[in-house]
Amino acid sequence: LGHRGCCFFFVRHSNKMSTTVVAAAPSVPKRGVTVKDVAPYDFIKAYARHLKRTRKVQVPAWAEYVKTATYKELSPADPDWFYVRVAALARKVYLKAGNGVGTYRRAFGGAERRGVQPNRHANASGSIIRKALQSLEKIKVIEKDSKGGRRITSTGQRDLDRIAALVKKQ
């Protein structure tokens, strides 16, 4: 690919010592929009809204009282935080299959403040991540992989790509 997505073809003439540059029309492949084509924040927000609107995901009764990690002082301020966590996990499973709860605990973890000592990384709550993954399994967006971890299903991929296309259109 050349400058600004334009393709250049170099043609060498055998009888001359010069090279001719011919610019061709940019070739854009015709394909659908995927989750990778959309900004993560916008996709997660839209998919969380979709999950809440369709009422497919059941929020656990303890969700309003729980902290998302042991190092946190307060529970989340957003009342729809569980939908956001489920949407973020669906996106992570879409992008890289085969990860389990431990990997997502590290990904959603953060800095544990220890007073005058330096901060350290602490993992997020495994129970919340497990329940979120189980709720995605229940609505057939992800499934357990035979090699371990979770992976996206074909219907889940289709749904996530459809939401991504709506986000891209806006």
Side-chain angles (χ1 to χ4, degrees):
L1 281 176
H3 183 64
R4 294 188 181 141
C6 190
C7 298
F8 292 102
F9 298 103
F10 293 96
V11 179
R12 182 173 293 255
H13 299 287
S14 60
N15 58 354
K16 297 181 185 176
M17 294 301 290
S18 65
T19 303
T20 306
V21 178
V22 180
S27 60
V28 178
K30 300 272 186 185
R31 64 178 184 85
V33 177
T34 66
V35 174
K36 295 178 184 181
D37 301 329
V38 182
Y41 176 78
D42 298 334
F43 173 77
I44 291 170
K45 189 170 66 170
Y47 191 54
R49 225 179 13 246
H50 169 75
L51 290 173
K52 185 177 180 181
R53 190 177 62 245
T54 58
R55 297 179 190 249
K56 289 181 179 179
V57 174
Q58 297 296 320
V59 178
W62 44 260
E64 61 182 298
Y65 306 112
V66 73
K67 300 187 303 181
T68 56
T70 57
Y71 64 90
K72 298 278 188 178
E73 293 184 10
L74 298 171
S75 60
D78 183 11
D80 299 330
W81 70 269
F82 191 76
Y83 295 109
V84 174
R85 180 60 55 99
V86 170
L89 279 167
R91 181 182 175 276
K92 282 191 174 289
V93 172
Y94 181 100
L95 295 177
K96 188 168 189 318
N99 290 336
V101 175
T103 303
Y104 298 125
R105 285 187 71 191
R106 283 188 292 280
F108 286 99
E112 178 182 15
R113 298 183 63 192
R114 304 186 309 146
V116 296
Q117 299 171 340
N119 294 350
R120 281 189 185 168
H121 178 80
N123 291 339
S125 170
S127 176
I128 294 171
I129 292 171
R130 195 174 312 105
K131 298 298 180 197
L133 289 171
Q134 287 170 356
S135 65
L136 284 170
E137 286 177 3
K138 191 175 179 183
I139 62 172
K140 307 269 191 278
V141 172
I142 64 172
E143 63 188 5
K144 287 190 178 176
D145 196 0
S146 60
K147 300 174 197 167
R150 306 296 207 289
R151 67 183 181 98
I152 197 91
T153 62
S154 59
T155 58
Q157 182 175 355
R158 185 179 63 235
D159 291 346
L160 294 179
D161 287 343
R162 186 176 47 80
I163 299 292
L166 292 174
V167 170
K168 185 82 170 185
K169 205 183 294 185
Q170 292 175 351

